[in-house]
Amino acid sequence: MTNIETHSEHASFGGKTGFYSHHSEACDGGMRFAVYTPPQATEGPVPVLYYLAGLTCTEETFMIKGGAQRHAAEHGLMLVAPDTSPRDANVPGEDEDWDFGTGAGFYVDATEEPWSQHYRMYSYLTQELPLVVGGHFPARPDAAGVFGHSMGGHGALVCALKNPDLFRSVSAFAPISAPTRVPWGEKAFTGYLGGDREAWKAYDASEIVRGHPFADGRNILVDQGLSDQFLEEQLLPEVLEEACAESGQPLTLNRREGYDHSYYTISTFMEDHIRHHAAALEG
């Protein structure tokens, strides 16, 4: 079993919010993550919901700003929030930009040097982290969901669509819905995956869902603020909407008048997302 280091733990809504780290084989270095363990976990394993944060965020951002613990406690859900990239991997240029490198792993497995040794967030999330969580916390391995914001919304959609047996529910706040078509995605995918744009489609939720919707008809929940400063240039929810319509994938896309890209928006609609996942995972 992989050893973990405990950095701090805090009583929260009858449960506990903790911050941890471990050596990651996938990322070939240290990785940090946070866990909220609900009070129901004292009686046995509980469903687990993974949250993937956006650009520049850390494992702390969601636990501090998301307002999710109270709702998770009500429904008996464990929350797990990994960091958004490796840290201090000594990759040349990793700290030069806010939207690439440190804090911007984009939840892909990099194939390009010098990123391919450490920037393997997709494998970390879909293979390694669930085993670490299951080995140290009372999480039900058969009842996991995933959601996220912006870059993390992109990651959540991709991870769920490509791993429907691992993640039984999915939702997103203001996801980068078509990263192969927007500046954030083009920059990250060129750096991590190289110049072959066809290879990028493996990490584009709109491209994936067009050919491979969920076979069981499960619904995707998305909330998008209409005052989001990144809406038109970087997010393109209409592309995801069109792709889901083409493939018959159920999608609830809530366009929220007056809301922006911030955690004020996320915390406002957090309860809706927790209920969405609880309904799928509590059975």
Side-chain angles (χ1 to χ4, degrees), residues 31 99 102 169 173 209 232 238:
M31 285 297 297
D99 56 356
T102 301
S169 59
F173 300 95
V209 79
E232 294 184 4
E238 66 276 7

Side-chain angles (χ1 to χ4, degrees), residues 177-199:
S177 295
T180 60
R181 305 188 189 190
V182 301
W184 277 342
E186 290 177 342
K187 180 176 181 177
F189 287 2
T190 299
Y192 294 137
L193 305 175
D196 182 3
R197 299 181 72 96
E198 282 299 310

